[in-house]
Amino acid sequence: MARLQGVSSDSGTGAMLIEAGSYPIWQDFTLWVEYELEFRQGGFYHLTGQNGSGKSSFISQLLLPRLLALPHRYVLYLEQQMHLQLFTVKAFSAMNKANPILADESMATQFLLKDLKKSFDQVPRDSYLIMDETLYIDSHLAYVRQYLQTCCIIYTSHQSIQPEAESIIFEPVSVELSKVYVRPD
Amino acid sequence: MSALIKFVLATMALILFCVFFCVIWLDRLALQLIGFLALSMLLASKRGFRGWFKQVRILLPFTFTLAAVYLLFGLLKVSDPSGARAGLEFWSVYGANRIMLLLSSVLAIRVCYSYVSFDDLLALPIRISLLKYVILGKLLYEAAFSSYRQICFYQSLIPSLQVGGQSLKSRFNFRLASLLALLYYIIGEAKLKGELIDNRIRHCHQREE
């Protein structure tokens, strides 16, 4: 099972490891991580594979729980369809008297990114930004590169392929199993 | 038994409960206690001990708050409803009756309408234009319960909420924001689902229109 590497509270020095092995994600679906995966601060990772290969499941069932279990870190997750997340962010921003009132996903994601920057400026910590088929991914990347250079960015996208990103491939072996590995250089 | 008869019987039972326990026996603590125990047994027989405990547990914060308020009245010797100065003895009995009634009332509603299923409600001889509110109510009820946990999860993913400790204020604000998000969600779902139901009614129940 995944072993959590200690993540220091100093920004830019931590990494999160997911050890090689089989990870049962759902009742009839397993992810097989061929070699250890390392997510470093300042790193840039593109999870790629066909639809149904387990990218979103990897994020929601494996990556996020482990990141949230780390002490002294920021985790920002922008998911594919922000339906319920949008209401959550709207409520939070309303209670914090944000102006203007958030009307759509674009405003909500901008609010969250600014919230991440503000939190980091006040208390620097290791930061992880995970984007799962998010709209406007290029503008989000530009913002993070400008204001949060040490942030670890992990994203999935069929449209936006960033050449400098390290590709992590999700390859279906069967209906019940997908293999996960880093694309060789 | 037909749906209408079940619904009428459940409503009549509830009205009888209100007449006896909320009016006639309001200040009879022993009877209030017997009522509570009887309703508890009925609910436990329908939903098991866990179902009963789950229901009572939800009411515990309100119960404790009420008890605290009446205790305070007693300690401060607040005047009773007739205007006379009343002490701890009066307010403890007065409060106990009301607390028992609160618990019994909720259990009574649960017990009476546990015999009326959702399919029974749909089979009632009422116009679809009214029945749609029953359907919408059930959909929103289910949506609320299934989404609250997810809302709390998304809240934990807001960066500035990952900084703070577990102070009472931060936990209170967290819960408040969760409830506000749930309210936004339910209002949005009510509009969306309401339109879908209206559209379906327009196409499938044209005769009534």
Side-chain angles (χ1 to χ4, degrees):
Chain A
M1 294 302 292
R3 176 175 56 88
L4 238 46
Q5 197 73 314
V7 178
S8 71
S9 58
D10 297 326
S11 61
T13 59
M16 203 201 79
L17 299 179
I18 293 182
E19 286 187 338
S22 278
Y23 295 90
I25 301 293
W26 306 109
Q27 195 181 352
D28 297 321
F29 184 71
T30 300
L31 282 175
W32 170 35
V33 178
E34 197 174 18
Y35 298 105
E36 184 178 79
L37 299 176
E38 185 186 16
F39 297 99
R40 298 177 302 277
Q41 286 299 291
F44 189 22
Y45 307 92
H46 179 208
L47 308 184
T48 179
Q50 64 193 55
N51 289 337
S53 57
K55 301 186 295 296
S56 298
S57 300
F58 171 81
I59 289 172
S60 64
Q61 303 300 312
L62 199 58
L63 188 62
L64 273 177
R66 281 157 177 77
L67 285 174
L68 289 172
L70 294 176
H72 309 299
R73 47 76 199 130
Y74 298 118
V75 178
L76 176 55
Y77 171 49
L78 303 177
E79 69 166 354
Q80 219 161 355
Q81 285 170 355
M82 279 185 80
H83 187 55
L84 204 47
Q85 188 177 19
L86 178 60
F87 291 114
T88 309
V89 178
K90 275 176 96 165
F92 175 77
S93 72
M95 279 189 58
N96 288 276
K97 298 176 188 151
N99 189 18
I101 295 171
L102 305 182
D104 55 28
E105 276 190 29
S106 169
M107 292 177 82
T109 51
Q110 281 170 30
F111 175 86
L112 286 170
L113 285 168
K114 285 178 184 167
D115 188 69
L116 177 60
K117 176 189 179 297
K118 186 176 139 197
S119 303
F120 185 85
D121 289 344
Q122 287 173 353
V123 182
R125 288 178 176 178
D126 290 341
S127 307
Y128 297 86
L129 170 62
I130 300 145
M131 296 183 285
D132 188 4
E133 300 286 348
T134 313
L135 297 174
Y136 317 113
I137 200 166
D138 294 331
S139 69
H140 299 337
L141 288 174
Y143 183 90
V144 172
R145 279 170 177 154
Q146 185 176 1
Y147 296 109
L148 294 155
Q149 290 101 355
T150 59
C151 182
C152 172
I153 305 170
I154 304 158
Y155 80 102
T156 72
S157 175
H158 291 293
Q159 277 81 42
S160 175
I161 299 168
Q162 306 285 326
E164 65 274 30
E166 195 173 333
S167 290
I168 296 175
I169 314 287
F170 285 71
E171 185 183 301
V173 175
S174 67
V175 171
E176 294 170 349
L177 178 70
S178 279
K179 188 169 78 169
V180 184
Y181 58 93
V182 177
R183 189 200 299 276
D185 293 328
Chain B
M1 196 185 290
S2 84
L4 184 61
I5 293 172
K6 272 200 236 178
F7 188 77
V8 167
L9 284 175
T11 307
M12 279 174 57
L14 203 55
I15 290 171
L16 280 171
F17 169 84
C18 288
V19 167
F20 282 99
F21 286 90
C22 301
V23 180
I24 299 171
W25 296 335
L26 179 59
D27 290 312
R28 307 274 294 271
L29 184 58
L31 290 169
Q32 294 287 347
L33 198 57
I34 290 168
F36 172 70
L37 288 170
L39 286 164
S40 296
M41 274 167 39
L42 276 171
L43 187 64
S45 70
K46 201 90 172 82
R47 288 175 188 257
F49 175 75
R50 271 195 182 179
W52 171 82
F53 181 71
K54 203 172 154 186
Q55 192 60 62
V56 171
R57 197 177 64 170
I58 292 169
L59 295 168
L60 281 179
F62 303 102
T63 310
F64 290 141
T65 308
L66 264 181
V69 166
Y70 286 121
L71 180 66
L72 205 60
F73 282 0
L75 291 171
L76 296 174
K77 296 194 190 316
V78 170
S79 302
D80 65 18
S82 68
R85 211 161 162 76
L88 199 58
E89 198 186 323
F90 170 82
W91 284 113
S92 55
V93 172
Y94 188 91
N97 278 323
R98 269 84 189 150
I99 288 168
M100 281 288 109
L101 183 59
L102 167 68
L103 293 168
S104 299
S105 302
V106 175
L107 293 185
I109 293 169
R110 293 292 273 178
V111 166
C112 289
Y113 289 107
S114 67
Y115 293 96
V116 181
S117 69
F118 187 69
D119 288 335
D120 289 331
L121 290 176
L122 291 180
L124 287 175
I126 53 177
R127 288 171 62 87
I128 189 66
S129 52
L130 291 175
L131 203 54
K132 73 173 187 181
Y133 294 109
V134 174
I135 297 167
L136 186 60
K138 180 167 167 48
L139 288 171
L140 294 178
Y141 179 85
E142 284 169 358
F145 274 89
S146 65
S147 62
Y148 184 69
R149 197 180 228 186
Q150 196 71 355
I151 284 172
C152 292
F153 169 69
Y154 286 130
Q155 264 211 291
S156 70
L157 290 171
I158 296 174
S160 52
L161 291 178
Q162 296 167 20
V163 179
Q166 289 294 311
S167 68
L168 195 62
K169 185 183 171 188
S170 61
R171 278 189 289 167
F172 179 78
N173 283 342
F174 188 95
R175 289 281 169 236
L176 203 59
S178 304
L179 288 173
L180 184 59
L182 185 63
L183 204 59
Y184 279 150
Y185 174 61
I186 293 300
I187 290 169
E189 284 295 286
K191 191 164 178 268
L192 187 68
K193 296 263 187 325
E195 281 174 15
L196 289 171
I197 292 171
D198 283 338
N199 191 41
R200 185 61 63 90
I201 289 171
R202 260 196 299 280
H203 287 90
C204 301
H205 295 268
Q206 286 169 353
R207 277 187 202 165
E208 285 201 24
E209 298 200 356

